[in-house]
Amino acid sequence: MTDQPTADRPVRVMVVDDHPMWRDAVSRDLAEAGLDVVATAGDGEEAVRRARACTPQVVVLDLNLPSLSGAEVCRQVVAHDPAVRVLVLSASGEHQDVLEAVKSGATGYLVKSAGREELLDAVRRTAVGDAVFTPGLAGLVLGEFRRLAAEPAPASAPAAPQLTARETEVLRLVAKGLSYRQIADRLVLSHRTVQNHVQNTLGKLQLHNRVELVRYAIEQGLDDEI
């Protein structure tokens, strides 16, 4: 399992892109900003092997890769270690690509027109569990989750685990798309306390990441509550 980033332990990042110049440029920007680039890869199969070997906290992943698609890389990496967070960095802003990436386990999605500071901020936020999207794409993902939530539930669906009042309150704000920092400010809590509530909730619900948590919250109708 991956370790959580701390003040004295930089975020461990892996960069996956089939264009060497782009891959090198992103890796250089991340390293110069103090992040620990533990590996790079230029094709899908190599990416899966190296991710398993070096256990990054964040994988910055292109979708258009040789040998395995970015979406398949995401599925395999997250299945092997659900603690790994995947930030897609793609030239495509097509809705189908965004939704496929999220359904494959990606935590966030940026298009390659994003600036250097936007990318650095996205990687750092992804490392602590925020779902980061290029403006306009977050609404698309939430809309898809709401559509799925409107479908009939399986007749054999198990009863939902019991959450505390505070966990439910945090979950409701997660469903509304607020970042952990925004939730902390809203509830007058520390950022770490919000993270702990989210981790406890993930454990109770047997979910793996914030994206799955948002979908669960929407299915429960928590995003509609005041």
Side-chain angles (χ1 to χ4, degrees), residues 81-135:
D81 183 357
V84 176
R85 290 162 179 143
V86 176
L87 174 65
V88 169
L89 183 62
S90 174
S92 171
E94 294 294 324
H95 291 183
Q96 182 176 352
D97 290 334
V98 178
L99 294 176
E100 182 181 13
V102 171
K103 290 174 182 177
S104 299
T107 306
Y109 195 110
L110 288 185
V111 295
K112 286 186 173 179
S113 58
R116 178 179 182 274
E117 293 304 317
E118 186 178 358
L119 172 61
L120 294 175
D121 178 66
V123 171
R124 292 188 179 106
R125 289 175 56 196
T126 298
V128 298
D130 276 351
V132 184
F133 292 89
T134 290

Side-chain angles (χ1 to χ4, degrees), residues 16 41-49 65-70 73 76:
V16 182
D43 68 66
E45 292 181 352
E46 180 185 37
V48 172
R49 289 195 305 270
L65 298 171
S67 71
L68 287 178
S69 70
V73 170
Q76 293 192 27

Side-chain angles (χ1 to χ4, degrees), residues 78 82-86 102 105-108 125-126 128-133 138 141-142 145 170-184 191 194-195 198-199 202 205 207-218:
V78 173
V84 176
R85 290 162 179 143
V86 176
V102 171
T107 306
R125 289 175 56 196
T126 298
V128 298
D130 276 351
V132 184
F133 292 89
V141 174
L142 289 174
F145 286 165
V170 170
L171 181 57
R172 177 174 57 81
L173 296 176
V174 167
K176 290 180 177 295
L178 273 67
S179 70
Y180 290 173
R181 181 66 62 189
Q182 290 170 322
I183 294 171
H191 186 274
V194 172
Q195 281 185 264
V198 171
Q199 289 303 316
L202 287 171
L205 300 176
L207 302 176
H208 297 127
N209 54 52
R210 179 179 169 134
V211 172
E212 293 181 0
L213 193 63
V214 171
R215 178 174 176 178
Y216 172 85
I218 292 173

